[in-house]
Amino acid sequence: MLVVMKPQATPEEIQAVCTQIEHLGFRAHPLPGAQRTAIGITGNQGEIERGNIEELSGVAEVIRVTKPYKLVSRDSKEEDTIIHFPGTNATIGGRDLAIIAGPCGIESRDQAFAIAEAVANAGAQFFRGGAFKPRTSPYAFQGMGEEALQIMAEVREKFGLRIVTEAIDQETLALVEQYADVIQIGARNMQNFSLLKKAGHCRKPVLLKRGMSATLEELLMAAEYIMSEGNYQVILCERGVRTFTDHTRNTLDLSIVPAVQRLSHLPILVDPSHGTGKRNKVLPLSRAAIAVGADGVMVEVHNQPDKALSDGPQSIYPEQFVELINEVEQIAPVVHRTLTRGIQVEHLKAAAPDQVAHPAAR
Ligand code: PEP
Ligand code: MN
């Protein structure tokens, strides 16, 4: 059920409706929009006696949502969700494109700093890097753990980049939430429902990657799990699905971008690195992702891909990233988008080591 408030409804009237919903034993999710606020109701098994709510002051109408996903749906919120990062000009969703770049995994402070400097100079606003790596083989590099998170916190201080990193279970989620600006939930965990619920309690945006054989509805339902627990800052990410093709690691399903945008207000990014697994395909598919209307791209960049401890073959060189961002900038206006580059390093005052705050100390 969805309570649509009148455009002129006051905050007190919205609060009174939420209180009444909670009083009935359900959960209220106020979703403010440009024209009006809608309040999603979850926790009900069947139809709710709408008379109780319809009569409250400020209510325009109470409608039944027939789709399985409710809070992620455009029925609940017509306008695109835009996620802001206080203190920066970076956003995810809306008109401005988001560019996330960095290595698959953080391997050392030197490696992270070299790549971060290159991607910041090129204009990325976000730095990605795994601290906890979900690997196919238990013998493969598993990530540097909390040390990698500390390195990324230093990268944020020094280069002004916002940090995106993956949590692979509930234990690592608590740590990642402490350090990161965006919590990534990977393809392998897209249907780890207990982890999704926990991420729903976090106060940081969640970047949810599509499972490698997930349908559009399954992806939206996974996002619904996070939102139903109260975290409305969810970013979807297409990263390729398993098919019979063998010329790429996965098949990047770009058609999901307009399909998501039709049904949901949530931002959707594209990851052409995992989507193709091949360095030479990352630039063409990044261009295509922007052309198809994605809200941005997430790409793997490495200064020494031949020595990378994970995903070297799909990691582009820093020079290629410069090319990528220049091309994306040119395509952006064709699809009515803009590209605001992150802060250039030379404009940032280099932080002295003692000024590099540990996130826990802030
Ligand atoms: C990643 O982005 O580092 C990653 C592991 O991706 P995915 O979950 O899409 O495989
Ligand atoms: Mn990777």
Side-chain angles (χ1 to χ4, degrees):
M1 298 281 272
L2 190 70
V3 183
V4 180
M5 300 299 291
K6 292 178 180 159
Q8 67 275 21
T10 64
E12 292 73 27
E13 287 172 330
I14 295 168
Q15 185 51 51
V17 174
C18 292
T19 307
Q20 175 65 10
I21 293 167
E22 308 266 338
H23 179 74
L24 292 169
F26 310 123
R27 184 154 185 181
H29 303 267
L31 303 161
Q35 305 300 326
R36 41 81 169 157
T37 290
I39 304 168
I41 306 178
T42 58
N44 55 308
Q45 293 308 326
E47 271 221 49
I48 295 171
E49 181 49 68
R50 63 178 77 199
N52 282 327
I53 298 164
E54 228 157 33
E55 296 312 317
L56 295 175
S57 156
V59 173
E61 58 176 333
V62 179
I63 50 180
R64 205 170 146 236
V65 182
T66 47
K67 298 192 184 82
Y69 36 86
K70 303 182 187 310
L71 304 173
V72 309
S73 164
R74 279 215 191 265
D75 296 344
S76 305
K77 183 168 175 278
E78 219 175 304
E79 305 84 22
D80 293 340
T81 286
I82 305 176
I83 297 173
H84 296 271
F85 295 85
T88 74
N89 55 9
T91 51
I92 302 183
R95 201 174 148 81
D96 211 32
L97 296 172
I99 310 291
I100 307 175
C104 179
I106 301 297
E107 299 165 5
S108 70
R109 193 172 183 278
D110 285 352
Q111 173 246 21
F113 270 60
I115 300 168
E117 179 164 21
V119 300
N121 269 333
Q125 308 109 332
F126 297 89
F127 181 69
R128 62 147 292 147
F132 305 98
K133 296 302 308 170
R135 303 303 300 281
T136 303
S137 163
Y139 310 117
F141 175 60
Q142 304 284 306
M144 286 174 66
E146 189 169 4
E147 197 184 339
L149 297 176
Q150 284 163 353
I151 292 170
M152 280 188 278
E154 287 186 48
V155 162
R156 171 176 41 224
E157 297 298 326
K158 175 134 193 207
F159 301 107
L161 295 161
R162 299 298 103 178
I163 302 304
V164 182
T165 192
E166 180 170 354
I168 54 172
D169 50 27
Q170 298 194 18
E171 202 181 321
T172 56
L173 180 66
L175 266 178
V176 165
E177 188 190 11
Q178 213 187 314
Y179 286 91
D181 298 295
V182 177
I183 302 164
Q184 180 173 319
I185 297 207
R188 290 156 192 80
N189 269 318
M190 192 206 82
Q191 285 190 313
N192 181 339
F193 300 120
S194 58
L195 183 62
L196 297 175
K197 282 191 196 172
K198 279 273 186 279
H201 292 278
C202 293
R203 289 290 154 263
K204 297 264 173 84
V206 176
L207 191 159
L208 176 67
K209 300 190 81 175
R210 181 184 184 183
M212 50 190 93
S213 63
T215 63
L216 169 59
E217 186 166 313
E218 286 164 345
L219 173 63
L220 294 178
M221 291 311 290
E224 186 80 20
Y225 260 94
I226 301 170
M227 293 185 75
S228 69
E229 296 295 328
N231 187 349
Y232 307 124
Q233 299 197 299
V234 181
I235 304 146
L236 306 173
C237 183
E238 161 61 25
R239 47 77 72 206
V241 287
R242 274 283 164 85
T243 67
F244 51 81
T245 61
D246 55 7
H247 65 284
T248 49
R249 178 178 177 183
N250 292 295
T251 296
L252 193 65
D253 177 17
L254 291 178
S255 69
I256 202 170
V257 173
V260 161
Q261 288 168 338
R262 195 185 160 97
L263 297 173
S264 176
H265 53 86
L266 294 176
I268 175 147
L269 304 180
V270 168
D271 169 357
S273 306
H274 294 87
T276 65
K278 305 264 169 91
R279 181 177 308 129
N280 64 24
K281 297 188 174 50
V282 173
L283 266 73
L285 283 154
S286 297
R287 298 193 294 262
I290 300 306
V292 87
D295 293 302
V297 288
M298 173 155 87
V299 291
E300 289 186 340
V301 180
H302 203 292
N303 54 341
Q304 292 179 302
D306 295 345
K307 297 198 178 129
L309 298 180
S310 60
D311 286 348
Q314 68 191 35
S315 301
I316 58 171
Y317 289 93
E319 309 82 78
Q320 290 179 296
F321 180 67
V322 173
E323 217 179 302
L324 185 156
I325 207 162
N326 287 338
E327 291 176 355
V328 161
E329 190 174 35
Q330 291 178 62
I331 295 169
V334 179
V335 285
H336 316 291
R337 309 300 281 256
T338 51
L339 181 90
T340 306
R341 297 196 189 225
I343 312 154
Q344 304 280 298
V345 176
E346 50 267 33
H347 302 317
L348 272 180
K349 199 171 123 288
D354 60 348
Q355 291 176 309
V356 177
H358 188 283
R362 269 189 251 144

